[in-house]
Amino acid sequence: MTTVRTAVFPVAGLGTRFLPATKSIPKELLPIVDRPLIQYAVDEARAVGIENLIFVTGRGKGAIEDHFDISYELETTLAERNKTSELEELRRLRPGPGQVAYVRQMQPLGLGHAVWCARHLIGNEPFAVLLADELILADTPPLADMIAIHAETQGNVVLVDEVPMESTNNYGIIRPGVETNASIEITSVVEKPDPADAPSNLAIIGRYILEPTIMDILGTTAQGTGGEIQLTDALLASISDTPFHAVRMTGERYDCGSKLGFIEATLHLALRREDLGEDVQLMIDGLAQREN
Ligand code: UTP
């Protein structure tokens, strides 16, 4: 059984839905309460035993590298001021030396192209892809189930969630085949179909376990929807010789690439925090009264 040791985090997108905030701040560093989106994704990968983290970055994304590096000045100052818990938290969240690698996409030509840019770092092993703007919270990340299905099928595995039929044109949508308790066979995928053409309402949502053979296909995949090289197109092209399955989403998911999803995640996580929850609830009630 091959375990999945490496995760790719594509973080080179322009984040146009969050302009002007994302003009100089990477979308992936926008915080939900006090933790950047990318940190949640990295924690999720490490929680399922993934050790090697590859970031596909672009211009203006250097702050992501700083985020996962040691900040000597900050840490020295925290130590001098006896801010022990803050210091320990920073150290706990930081991957170890040599566990992180960065590669530049140079041009934001789409998710498929971003993944392909990591090909030399991946080599000949299966790997995970995590999109940080899909924030997933679960006691056991669904990535663990996906890795188990990959071990069984030796094929490509994606995470899917049911979405409202009217929003199929925002996602890659699968055509489901046989479903078992653990997974759904995928017979086809359509990128961003109109609701009338959508083969189901099961959307691929930002977590993938991929066979390394996908890299060869990505290398020859033409630009698709929106002029971008789509990962979905490459997955579809590999369907004839690589098993392809979906795992259903478990836990909670927030689409933090959209403003509404981002605000929902912020409110929900703040409400849950012991140090903030009650005050945030009072604040929301007060705001609601003021607006009525
Ligand atoms: P999105 O489709 O959300 O695109 O990418 P985006 O550019 O980040 O945001 P909008 O739509 O303009 O607001 C999903 C993930 O894929 C990465 C993004 O950084 C994000 O994490 N991505 C996308 C790349 O790394 N390269 C690309 O060319 C496109």
Side-chain angles (χ1 to χ4, degrees), residues 139-200:
D139 290 339
T140 305
L143 212 49
D145 296 333
M146 296 171 67
I147 291 172
I149 294 299
H150 172 267
E152 203 180 299
T153 62
Q154 301 294 305
N156 295 317
V157 185
V158 294
L159 188 63
V160 293
D161 200 8
E162 291 186 21
V163 297
M165 210 62 205
E166 61 272 17
S167 63
T168 55
N169 55 354
N170 294 321
Y171 298 93
I173 301 289
I174 68 160
R175 183 184 299 281
V178 177
E179 179 162 3
T180 66
N181 278 345
S183 69
I184 309 170
E185 184 194 0
I186 300 176
T187 60
S188 180
V189 189
V190 189
E191 185 63 26
K192 300 187 169 66
D194 284 333
D197 304 325
S200 73

Side-chain angles (χ1 to χ4, degrees), residues 70-139:
I70 296 177
S71 171
Y72 284 106
E73 198 181 316
L74 175 64
E75 294 190 17
T76 308
T77 308
L78 288 175
E80 280 168 6
R81 294 184 185 172
N82 290 323
K83 301 240 175 209
T84 320
S85 62
E86 288 86 348
L87 187 56
E88 277 171 7
E89 180 72 346
L90 285 186
R91 289 181 176 158
R92 191 181 65 77
L93 295 176
R94 190 169 60 223
Q99 289 188 322
V100 187
Y102 299 91
V103 62
R104 283 254 189 160
Q105 190 185 9
M106 292 188 201
Q107 279 180 291
L109 293 178
L111 176 60
H113 183 259
V115 170
W116 179 72
C117 287
R119 65 198 180 283
H120 295 303
L121 297 171
I122 294 290
N124 198 28
E125 280 189 21
F127 59 99
V129 176
L130 290 88
L131 305 189
D133 46 11
E134 288 284 2
L135 172 55
I136 291 179
L137 300 175
D139 290 339

Side-chain angles (χ1 to χ4, degrees), residues 22 38 42 53 61 69 71 73 92 100 118-119 132 137 164 167 173 215 220 225 235 238 244 246:
T22 46
I38 190 68
V42 163
L53 314 171
K61 301 278 182 167
D69 201 357
S71 171
E73 198 181 316
R92 191 181 65 77
V100 187
R119 65 198 180 283
L137 300 175
S167 63
I173 301 289
M215 293 299 192
T220 57
T225 313
L235 287 167
S238 67
F244 191 18

